[in-house]
Amino acid sequence: MKNNRIGQSIEEAAEALRKGELVGIPTETVYGLAANAYNVEAVSKIFEAKNRPTFDPLIVHTHHPKTFNHLVQEVPQKLLVLAEAYMPGALTLLLPKKDIIPDLVTAGSPRVAIRIPDHALTLALLASLDFPLAAPSANPFGYISPTQASHVAAQLGDKVSYLLDGGTCSVGIESTIVGLDEENEITVYRLGGISIEAIESIVGKVKMRAHALPSPEAAGMLENHYAPHKKMYLTKLVDFSPKANERVGAISFCKPYEQFAFCEVLSPTCDFKQAAQNLFQTMRYLDSLALDYIVAELLPEEGLGRAINDRLRKAATK
Ligand code: TXA
Ligand code: MG
């Protein structure tokens, strides 16, 4: 950690950001690695620190819809109702950007991803700044997203000038990304903390698409993501028996299984919200143990179960 600067000081975080430095910020979804979104030099430090290819665009965080007219040309009516329902929250909207948003932030796309995080410390930080924050999840590219300050400190601690410690993330998986497609229809580009059902309860049936990235090779590189260093396989746990000499860790939705060296249960009450909260920290924990590999089972394909399954599939060894 650079100078060991970790704590709850909004002033220290703001000062570092004003100087064009990187700051770790808490949100309700996952921790972000933030920089002044208007400052190209500061934003380029994010890509360097994460070892992230520049074709993978960044989400811009702001504290209030009143700032939208600085950032985007318009909020189409269809998306405005979603903004009203779920901002602040785990919803990111793809909107036509204004020139003030550097092309580096959007990877050259005319659309910028905008989010209002629902976390008191970060909302106060954003309100104290006269610029928005570009922030991807604060993990090395491809690894599991951080849901506690200690996760950020362990992997990117020496890259940030300050780490704002906001406790454990209450949602635990990234935001749901929504925009309009070529036919002007509401499309979900990434499953996340706001379920499809919650979105459809406001706007009716929506389309699903895996991503909205500028190039096909970009999409390919993002297939294996949210991944532990250990090999991880998807299987039905009840039918799976490790070989006698194998030490295997398992991630189960609600029941413990005895045949594994370690079996982590995401939610003893089979609650999707609790499972999402625990998912990434469970993957990190098992990744830290001396195990031969990890096995996980998929959840029912409904509600947040779908977003959790999306993360499990992307983390699984191809
Ligand atoms: O919950 C979250 O969304 C967290 C917190 C920190 O806000 N952020 C996050 O950022 O997950 P990141 O960079 O790990 O994932 C953002 C993804 C990109 O990989 C890309 O797929 C999509 O958002 N994205 C960002 N800007 C975009 C744009 N202009 N057009 C299309 N997709 C975009
Ligand atoms: Mg990420």
Side-chain angles (χ1 to χ4, degrees):
M1 197 69 218
K2 251 187 208 168
N3 314 325
N4 278 329
R5 288 167 68 195
I6 170 165
Q8 265 127 32
S9 168
I10 287 165
E11 294 72 34
E12 278 197 64
E15 196 185 302
L17 290 163
R18 286 191 199 104
K19 283 194 276 187
E21 294 169 1
L22 300 184
V23 168
I25 57 165
T27 84
E28 81 281 31
T29 59
V30 301
Y31 274 75
L33 181 65
N36 176 352
Y38 295 155
N39 179 337
V40 173
E41 207 182 307
V43 171
S44 66
K45 290 180 189 168
I46 294 177
F47 288 94
E48 234 167 84
K50 278 190 63 122
N51 202 9
R52 174 173 172 128
T54 50
F55 59 62
D56 191 4
L58 307 178
I59 295 174
V60 171
H61 299 71
T62 176
H63 69 289
H64 198 278
K66 71 184 178 200
T67 66
F68 287 2
N69 64 332
H70 297 296
L71 313 175
V72 302
Q73 290 170 28
E74 57 154 351
V75 184
Q77 185 57 36
K78 285 180 174 179
L79 298 180
L80 193 60
V81 290
L82 283 177
E84 280 162 0
Y86 297 119
M87 287 183 161
L91 175 74
T92 294
L93 293 179
L94 297 179
L95 299 168
K97 82 177 189 77
K98 281 196 169 164
D99 289 344
I100 193 164
I101 304 289
D103 287 334
L104 181 62
V105 169
T106 67
S109 167
R111 293 199 293 186
V112 60
I114 302 281
R115 179 161 116 75
I116 304 179
D118 191 11
H119 191 292
L121 266 185
T122 292
L123 284 174
L125 171 64
L126 287 163
S128 76
L129 299 169
D130 55 9
F131 49 82
L133 293 175
S137 52
N139 48 280
F141 183 68
Y143 196 66
I144 306 160
S145 297
T147 54
Q148 291 173 18
S150 63
H151 300 162
V152 183
Q155 289 188 304
L156 295 174
D158 57 340
K159 307 282 169 62
V160 297
S161 294
Y162 191 75
L163 172 49
L164 196 56
D165 185 349
T168 299
C169 300
S170 60
V171 173
I173 53 174
E174 299 84 350
S175 60
T176 305
I177 301 180
V178 180
L180 298 180
D181 71 358
E182 305 77 12
E183 284 154 356
N184 239 12
E185 295 194 57
I186 302 178
T187 305
V188 171
Y189 293 96
R190 180 176 71 180
L191 295 165
I194 306 278
S195 69
I196 298 277
E197 289 87 339
I199 287 173
E200 292 188 335
S201 75
I202 306 287
V203 294
K205 200 90 192 119
V206 298
K207 291 188 186 169
M208 280 286 313
R209 197 188 281 182
H211 25 62
L213 294 176
S215 66
E217 67 269 32
M221 276 196 68
L222 299 177
E223 276 302 292
N224 205 226
H225 227 65
Y226 314 106
H229 297 306
K230 287 196 174 63
K231 287 196 184 325
M232 182 171 133
Y233 303 99
L234 300 180
T235 181
K236 270 197 109 166
L237 297 181
V238 62
D239 301 329
F240 189 92
S241 318
K243 298 200 183 84
N245 61 341
E246 284 177 344
R247 278 174 62 80
V248 178
I251 302 175
S252 166
F253 177 29
C254 24
K255 275 189 297 207
Y257 292 92
E258 311 255 287
Q259 70 270 37
F260 301 102
F262 285 86
C263 183
E264 293 297 305
V265 173
L266 293 177
S267 169
T269 56
C270 304
D271 176 53
F272 288 137
K273 196 167 173 273
Q274 186 181 32
Q277 277 167 0
N278 288 328
L279 178 70
F280 287 150
Q281 111 181 357
T282 300
M283 282 167 59
R284 266 179 196 262
Y285 172 63
L286 291 177
D287 206 22
S288 75
L289 300 175
L291 296 169
D292 294 306
Y293 57 92
I294 300 166
V295 289
E297 68 181 4
L298 293 174
L299 279 62
E301 283 285 333
E302 60 186 66
L304 289 183
R306 281 199 257 199
I308 294 169
N309 288 347
D310 170 74
R311 303 306 188 269
L312 288 172
R313 290 194 181 98
K314 289 195 177 119
T317 306
K318 299 284 177 308

